[in-house]
C-alpha cells in the first residue's frame, strides 16, 4: 500500500516538474527581450514635437508625439542611449550601442530626416558615447560625451562608463574634436549655450580633492566648459552649496538653470527629487515642483516659456514608470503630456 | 529463518522513525510482550503455531500498530513533515510561475532542486528510512531545504508585482521558519535517547548552534542580496559572504568534538565567543538602523 502511495507521489511530482520545466523552456525570455516600456530619454523640437524612446519587447524605438509607429526601431540586442533634435527640428540624431556593453563597446550615431524618414550613419566609435546633443544654433555640429572605459571600479560595484570627456563631430566634413582631457569618473547632462561658444555639464566638484574622503564629500555641480582655446572649466552653480545637482537644463538666454536635486526623503526612505530654478544673476534658488516623486530630465521649450520633465512614480523599485509632464517656466500649471506608447 | 513473531515485530518497528537505540528497545519490548502472550495461549491449550497466530491477532495489524506507536512516540511529526513538504511544493510552483510569467525568467535548476527536496520530505513523512542515521538525514534534508528555499525567498523579491512579491515573501518566510522549528524539534527530541556521553550538554550546544546558524545564514543572504543589487547580478566576489558560514560550521564541529572528549569548559568557551560576536553585530545593526 505504502509502496504504491510513494510511487504515485514520485510520479505526480515528476510529471509536475517536467510540465513546469516545459513551460519554462517555452516562455523564458532572453534578457535582451525583457525591456519593455517608456524610458526617460526624450527631446522636444523647436515646433514642440516630442520624440521619445520606447522599448517593445526589447526592441528600442523612437516615437513621435501620439504616433504609434516608430520612426526607427532597432534590434533587441541594441539600446538607444540618447536623442537630440536639430535646431530646425527637421533632423533627429540618436546614439545606439550594444546592450551587452561588457562584451561589445561600439557606439553608432545616426541621423534621421523626419520628412523623408531617411536614416544615415554619421560616425561610430569603439567605445561608449553616453550623450549626444545638436548645437542649438549650428546644425553642422554635434557634441557628445564619450567614456574611455566601461568597467566596475570596485568588485562590489556594477560596471559603468568612466573616463568621460567632451567631443564634437562636424557633419559636413566628418571631423571630430576633443575639448576636454579630464577623464572624469562621471560627466552628464550635456547642454550647449545659444549665446556663447560654451557647453555646460554636471560633474563632481573634486578638482581640489586630495584624499578619498575629500572625493567622497565633494558635490555634483554645473560646470561651464569654454569651447574656444584655451579650453577651461569653471563651476557656475552655487560653489558652496551642500546640494548635489543631478540633472539640469539651461534657459535660451543662459540666465537660468532648471536643475534636479533632492528635496526631501519620503516616508518609504526614498529620496524625493524635485526641480529648482537658479537665477545666475541674483543667485536665487526657487523650488519649481513639489510632486514628492522622482522628477528629472528638464527640457525647456524653444520659446523658453515651458519646461518638460519626467516623473518616475516607481523610483527605487525594480521597474520604473516614466511619465512626461509639462509646466510653465515659473512652476505653475503642471499637466501630464499624453504619449501614444505606454 | 526468523520466526513469525520476530518478523511481525520487525514490521512494526520498521514503521517507527526513532533512532537505532529507540528501535532496539522497542523491538525487545514488543517481542517480550508477544512471547508472553504466546505462552499464555499455549497454557490455554493451543498449539505453538496457533498460539503465535492468536498473539498476533490480539496485538493487531502490524502497520496500524506501527503508526499508533509512531504517533505516541513522536506526536504529529509525520503530519508536520507532510505539511512542510506540501506547502513547499505549492510555494515552488507559485514562485516559479510568478518569475516565469511576470519577469520572463525560468529558474529551472532551482525548481528541480526544490521539487526533489520537497518530494523527499514528503516521501520520508510517509516512509522512514531505517538504514540511515535518522537525525542526521532528517536535519541534513531540512538544512538543504532551508538553503534552497532561502534562495526561493530571494526570488520573491525579484517579482515586480508588489502584491505577488509580498504574499510569496511571507509564504517563503513561514516555510523557512517551519523548517527551522522542525530542526529544533528533531534535535531536542532525539537527545532524549542518545548514545552521546553528555546528552544534556550536547542538546544545548545544538540549540545554541542552530540559533547562531539561523542568524549567520540570514546575514549571509542579506549581504548576498545587497551585493547582487549593487553589482547588478551574480559575481565571484559574493563568495566572501560564505566565510561566516564556514567559520560557524568550523566552530560547531570544534564544540561537538570538545564535548565528546568531555572538555566541557573549552566547548562552552568556543560556543560563547561566536554568540558574543553575533550579539555585538546585531547591536551594531540596531544602532545603525536607529540612526545613532
Amino acid at each position: 500500500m505504502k509502496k504504491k502511495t510513494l510511487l504515485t507521489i514520485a510520479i505526480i511530482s515528476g510529471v509536475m516538474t517536467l510540465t513546469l520545466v516545459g513551460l519554462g523552456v517555452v516562455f523564458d525570455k532572453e534578457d535582451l527581450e525583457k525591456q519593455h516600456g517608456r524610458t526617460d530619454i526624450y527631446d522636444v523640437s523647436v515646433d514642440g514635437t516630442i520624440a521619445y524612446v520606447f522599448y517593445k519587447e526589447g526592441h528600442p524605438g523612437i516615437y513621435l508625439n501620439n504616433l504609434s509607429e516608430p520612426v526607427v526601431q532597432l534590434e533587441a540586442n541594441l539600446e538607444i542611449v540618447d536623442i537630440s533634435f536639430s535646431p530646425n527640428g527637421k533632423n533627429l540624431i540618436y546614439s545606439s550601442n550594444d546592450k551587452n556593453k561588457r562584451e561589445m563597446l561600439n557606439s553608432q550615431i545616426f541621423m534621421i530626416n523626419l520628412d523623408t524618414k531617411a536614416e544615415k550613419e554619421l560616425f561610430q566609435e569603439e567605445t561608449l558615447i553616453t550623450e549626444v546633443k545638436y548645437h542649438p544654433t549650428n546644425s553642422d555640429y554635434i557634441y557628445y560625451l564619450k567614456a574611455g572605459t566601461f568597467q566596475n571600479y570596485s568588485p562590489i560595484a556594477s560596471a559603468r562608463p568612466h573616463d568621460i570627456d567632451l567631443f564634437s563631430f562636424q557633419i559636413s566634413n566628418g571631423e571630430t574634436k576633443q575639448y576636454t582631457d579630464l577623464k572624469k569618473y562621471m560627466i552628464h547632462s550635456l547642454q550647449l549655450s545659444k549665446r556663447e561658444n560654451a557647453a555646460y555639464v554636471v560633474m563632481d566638484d573634486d578638482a581640489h580633492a586630495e584624499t578619498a574622503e575629500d572625493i567622497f564629500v565633494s558635490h555634483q555641480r554645473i560646470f561651464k566648459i569654454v569651447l574656444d582655446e584655451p579650453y577651461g572649466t569653471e563651476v557656475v552653480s552655487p560653489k558652496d552649496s551642500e546640494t548635489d545637482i543631478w540633472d539640469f537644463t539651461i534657459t535660451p538666454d543662459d540666465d537660468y538653470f532648471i536643475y534636479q536635486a533632492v528635496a526631501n526623503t519620503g516616508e518609504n526612505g526614498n529620496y524625493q527629487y524635485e526641480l529648482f530654478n537658479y537665477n545666475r544673476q541674483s543667485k536665487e534658488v526657487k523650488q519649481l515642483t513639489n510632486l514628492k516623486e522622482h522628477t528629472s530630465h528638464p527640457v525647456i521649450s524653444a520659446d523658453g516659456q515651458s519646461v518638460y520633465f519626467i516623473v518616475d512614480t516607481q523610483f527605487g523599485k525594480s521597474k520604473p514608470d516614466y511619465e512626461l509632464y509639462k509646466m510653465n517656466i515659473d512652476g505653475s500649471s503642471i499637466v501630464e503630456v499624453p504619449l501614444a506608447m505606454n | 529463518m526468523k520466526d513469525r513473531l520476530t518478523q511481525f515485530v520487525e514490521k512494526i518497528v520498521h514503521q517507527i522513525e526513532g533512532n537505532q537505540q529507540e528501535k532496539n528497545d522497542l523491538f525487545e519490548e514488543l517481542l517480550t510482550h508477544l512471547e508472553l502472550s504466546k505462552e499464555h495461549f499455549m497454557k490455554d491449550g493451543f498449539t505453538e503455531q496457533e498460539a503465535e497466530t492468536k498473539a498476533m491477532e490480539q496485538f493487531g495489524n502490524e502497520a496500524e500498530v506501527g503508526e499508533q506507536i509512531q504517533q505516541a512516540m513522536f506526536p504529529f511529526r509525520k503530519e508536520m513533515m507532510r505539511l512542510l513538504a506540501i506547502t513547499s511544493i505549492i510555494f515552488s510552483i507559485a514562485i516559479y510561475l510568478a518569475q516565469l510569467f511576470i519577469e520572463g525568467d525560468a529558474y529551472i535548476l532551482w525548481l528541480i532542486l526544490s521539487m526533489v527536496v520537497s518530494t523527499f520530505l514528503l516521501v520520508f513523512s510517509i516512509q522512514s528510512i531505517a538504514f540511515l542515521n535518522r537525525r542526521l538525514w532528517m536535519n541534513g534534508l531540512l538544512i538543504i531545504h532551508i538553503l534552497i528555499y532561502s534562495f526561493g525567498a530571494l526570488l520573491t523579491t525579484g517579482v515586480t508585482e508588489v502584491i505577488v512579491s509580498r504574499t510569496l515573501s511571507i509564504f517563503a518566510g513561514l516555510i523557512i521558519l517551519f523548517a527551522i522549528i522542525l530542526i529544533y524539534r528533531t534535535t531536542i527530541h532525539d537527545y532524549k535517547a542518545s548514545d552521546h556521553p553528555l546528552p544534556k550538554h550536547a542538546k544545548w550546544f545544538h540549540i545554541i548552534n542552530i540559533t547562531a546558524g539561523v542568524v549567520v545564514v540570514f546575514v549571509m543572504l542579506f549581504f548576498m542580496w545587497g551585493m547582487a543589487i549593487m553589482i547588478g547580478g551574480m559575481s565571484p566576489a559574493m563568495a566572501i559572504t560564505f566565510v561566516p558560514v564556514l567559520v560557524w560550521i568550523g566552530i560547531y564541529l570544534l564544540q561537538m568534538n570538545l564535548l565528546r572528549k568531555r572538555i566541557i569548559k573549552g566547548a562552552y568557551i568556543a560556543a560563547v565567543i561566536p554568540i558574543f560576536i553575533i550579539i555585538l553585530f546585531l547591536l551594531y545593526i540596531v544602532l545603525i538602523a536607529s540612526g545613532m
Side-chain angles (χ1 to χ4, degrees), chain A residues 118-288:
Chain A
E119 193 180 352
K120 179 185 169 189
E121 184 184 327
L122 295 180
F123 65 99
Q124 57 176 295
E125 296 254 13
E126 284 186 2
T127 179
L128 187 65
I129 291 175
T130 57
E131 290 185 30
V132 286
K133 191 74 98 186
Y134 255 114
H135 190 278
T137 55
N138 186 346
S139 60
D140 195 28
Y141 282 92
I142 291 165
Y143 289 79
Y144 59 98
L145 295 173
K146 187 172 85 173
T149 62
F150 184 86
Q151 62 187 79
N152 46 332
Y153 276 7
S154 145
I156 57 161
S158 56
R160 289 181 183 282
H162 297 300
D163 290 357
I164 301 174
D165 275 298
L166 175 64
F167 296 77
S168 75
F169 176 80
Q170 192 173 355
I171 296 171
S172 57
N173 62 15
E175 273 184 16
T176 57
K177 192 171 177 180
Q178 182 169 357
Y179 293 95
T180 61
D181 189 20
L182 300 166
K183 291 192 170 53
K184 278 296 241 185
Y185 181 77
M186 179 179 64
I187 305 180
H188 56 87
S189 302
L190 172 63
Q191 304 292 332
L192 289 145
S193 170
K194 267 188 173 175
R195 302 185 66 175
E196 54 183 324
N197 197 21
Y200 296 91
V201 292
V202 168
M203 44 188 195
D204 283 317
D205 186 13
D206 58 0
H208 304 293
E210 287 176 359
T211 63
E213 282 77 23
D214 292 342
I215 294 170
F216 190 71
V217 296
S218 67
H219 290 281
Q220 295 191 126
R221 306 198 196 284
I222 301 171
F223 283 75
K224 179 180 175 181
I225 302 172
V226 180
L227 299 177
D228 295 313
E229 289 186 54
Y231 311 124
T233 61
E234 63 166 317
V235 177
V236 286
S237 58
K239 288 186 178 67
D240 301 320
S241 170
E242 293 293 310
T243 304
D244 280 302
I245 291 176
W246 292 92
D247 196 1
F248 82 106
T249 189
I250 187 165
T251 51
D253 55 14
D254 273 20
D255 288 341
Y256 298 88
F257 292 130
I258 309 290
Y259 69 83
Q260 178 209 17
V262 174
N264 282 306
T265 304
E267 283 175 8
N268 57 3
N270 284 351
Y271 284 145
Q272 294 168 345
Y273 290 79
E274 305 289 356
L275 295 181
F276 297 82
N277 184 329
Y278 173 64
N279 184 327
R280 296 178 68 189
Q281 295 298 321
S282 67
K283 315 286 183 202
E284 261 182 86
V285 173
K286 182 189 166 198
Q287 187 169 338
L288 293 179

Side-chain angles (χ1 to χ4, degrees), chain A residues 38-42 53 296-297 310 322:
Chain A
R38 218 185 272 172
T39 66
D40 57 356
I41 303 165
Y42 77 103
V53 177
S296 64
H297 289 70
I310 296 281
Y322 298 117

Side-chain angles (χ1 to χ4, degrees), chain A residues 2 5-6 9-10 13 16-17 20-21 23-25 27-29 31 34 155-159 317-319, chain B residues 15 67 89 93 96-97 100-101 103-106 108 111-112 115 119 122-123 126-127 160 227 230-231 237:
Chain A
K2 269 192 179 173
T5 311
L6 296 178
I9 289 170
S13 172
M16 276 197 303
T17 308
L20 291 166
V21 168
L23 283 174
V25 171
F27 292 102
D28 183 46
K29 285 184 187 168
D31 281 346
K34 282 181 190 162
I156 57 161
S158 56
K317 294 175 184 158
S318 51
K319 274 191 184 163
Chain B
Q15 311 294 318
E67 282 287 347
I89 288 172
I93 296 169
Y96 177 80
L97 290 177
L100 182 61
F101 289 111
E103 307 306 321
D105 287 317
I108 290 173
L111 173 80
I112 293 170
M115 289 296 276
T119 306
L122 190 57
V123 165
I126 293 167
Q127 177 70 58
T160 45
M227 285 177 82
M230 282 199 286
I231 298 169

